[in-house]
Amino acid sequence: MDVDLRKLRYFVAVAERLHFGRAAEALHIAQPVLSRQIRALEEELKVQLFVRTRRATELTPAGEQLLADARPLLASAEALRRRVGRAARGADVFTVGFMPGLIVTPAVQALRERHPELTVEVVRTTWNDQTETIHDARVDIGYVRLPIDQRGLRVRPLMSEPRVAVLPTGHRLAGKDVIGIADLADEHLLQDPYAVPEWRDIATELRRPGRRRAELLFHAVEEKLEHVAAGHGVVVVPLSVMAFYTRPDVTYVPITDIPPNQVCLAWDSTRRNPLIGEFAVLAADLQSVSQVPGRQRR
């Protein structure tokens, strides 16, 4: 049996939203059409994917398994489409992804100098899509921040940096030289708790059913800082992120008793593009030089 990728995309849209109406809006199709496509997929697979009641839509165990398998399959299909399109256009492009706070210019310039005919582009990524952009070929290699799902990737450590708590300037902890993660136990975290497992393990609000305010979780750095400044909560970020986004209405304090953030290079383990390995070596060499006191790249 051949699985229809269009039906899989429709399924993922519903599975991620658990709402047929909102999924239909996102897909720009009528809800009855979407329902028919999902029923057709269930008939093809001979399983039930959703349990629908008047009040909710939930995934069945078969649906949960299909969602886990469908995402990488769709990403691979999208990557294939992008690569074939580039080949058809004769485009000689190499794309580097990078997380906020990271400077990739030296390595990008070095690759351009080695290959003047090559167009080297950069794409800013987020915690949510830093690996997705690699799997679907939006980027050839990415500067990523751990933790990530490393399945299907090759990962090369690059550097580590301290993490800091970002606070509004009038916060009770503002002005301290350092703090421990326990000092943040009663705070509201404006990011995914799994990104800060040390806080998650001690957080007061996570031990109170119904107290977690999911609507105040943000992904873009700029959004997080706006809400920190407004006093809605705090975030924990790598030092370079805060240094890059300095503003007068927030401050940061180093957290001494949690591990540093690990920055790595990552790329699709199935790719055989020699430029990927060349860029990885350049980036690692330039990072090593930048960490030697008194030395600068000429």
Side-chain angles (χ1 to χ4, degrees):
M1 179 194 68
D2 295 326
V3 178
D4 186 336
L5 292 180
R6 182 183 60 177
K7 291 190 183 76
L8 276 185
R9 292 190 184 94
Y10 290 174
F11 163 76
V12 170
V14 178
E16 290 180 340
R17 295 165 178 81
L18 292 178
H19 193 286
F20 276 73
R22 287 194 290 268
E25 290 178 6
L27 293 166
H28 305 292
I29 63 174
Q31 183 173 337
V33 173
L34 177 59
S35 296
R36 286 197 298 270
Q37 292 294 314
I38 296 299
R39 283 197 299 271
L41 180 60
E42 290 178 323
E43 290 172 2
E44 291 172 8
L45 297 175
K46 295 180 173 54
V47 296
Q48 182 178 0
L49 299 173
F50 295 100
V51 175
R52 299 177 68 178
T53 67
R54 291 183 178 181
R55 303 184 65 180
T57 297
E58 298 179 354
L59 283 167
T60 64
E64 292 175 354
Q65 183 61 57
L66 182 59
L67 180 60
D69 291 336
R71 283 169 169 157
L73 180 60
L74 291 174
S76 296
E78 178 62 17
L80 174 64
R81 185 193 66 78
R82 290 177 188 273
R83 290 169 192 157
V84 170
R86 287 180 187 174
R89 295 190 302 271
D92 202 2
V93 178
F94 187 82
T95 306
V96 179
F98 68 97
M99 287 286 284
L102 300 178
I103 297 175
V104 301
T105 307
V108 167
Q109 288 181 337
L111 190 66
R112 285 174 178 155
E113 291 169 3
R114 287 192 176 194
H115 302 276
E117 78 291 350
L118 183 68
T119 299
V120 185
E121 299 179 346
V122 295
V123 172
R124 180 183 182 274
T125 61
T126 69
W127 281 107
N128 281 356
D129 67 4
Q130 59 176 335
T131 57
E132 179 182 315
T133 56
I134 299 170
H135 288 302
D136 67 15
R138 275 178 281 170
V139 306
D140 294 290
I141 191 169
Y143 286 72
V144 300
R145 294 188 183 277
L146 301 186
I148 60 171
D149 183 348
Q150 299 188 22
R151 288 177 294 182
L153 299 176
R154 290 192 63 186
V155 177
R156 178 170 183 168
L158 199 60
M159 66 175 186
S160 62
E161 57 178 314
R163 290 189 286 167
V164 301
V166 186
L167 315 165
T169 52
H171 194 276
R172 60 185 176 84
L173 299 174
K176 288 186 173 293
D177 293 330
V178 297
I179 61 172
I181 192 64
D183 293 320
L184 301 177
D186 294 330
E187 302 292 334
H188 174 62
L189 195 70
L190 296 166
Q191 64 198 109
D192 188 337
Y194 287 92
V196 193
E198 302 88 357
W199 175 88
R200 184 191 63 202
D201 293 341
I202 62 168
T204 301
E205 68 176 346
L206 294 185
R207 296 197 298 270
R208 297 174 182 169
R211 293 295 299 274
R212 180 69 181 165
R213 293 174 290 171
E215 71 277 9
L216 290 183
L217 297 179
F218 304 96
H219 304 298
V221 175
E222 296 86 352
E223 284 183 309
K224 293 174 184 175
L225 297 185
E226 286 293 333
H227 286 276
V228 169
H232 296 157
V234 304
V235 296
V236 176
V237 300
L239 177 61
S240 65
V241 174
M242 197 56 240
F244 188 82
Y245 288 94
T246 300
R247 49 187 289 172
D249 49 2
V250 301
T251 188
Y252 65 88
V253 182
I255 306 173
T256 58
D257 57 353
I258 62 176
N261 176 245
Q262 300 294 324
V263 177
C264 299
L265 293 169
W267 61 94
D268 187 328
S269 60
T270 66
R271 297 286 304 278
R272 296 295 179 264
N273 185 347
L275 288 172
I276 295 176
E278 184 176 352
F279 183 87
V281 171
L282 282 171
D285 288 347
L286 289 168
Q287 184 62 40
S288 297
V289 170
S290 70
Q291 291 177 338
V292 177
R295 293 189 63 181
Q296 295 181 346
R297 180 171 178 258
R298 296 178 180 273

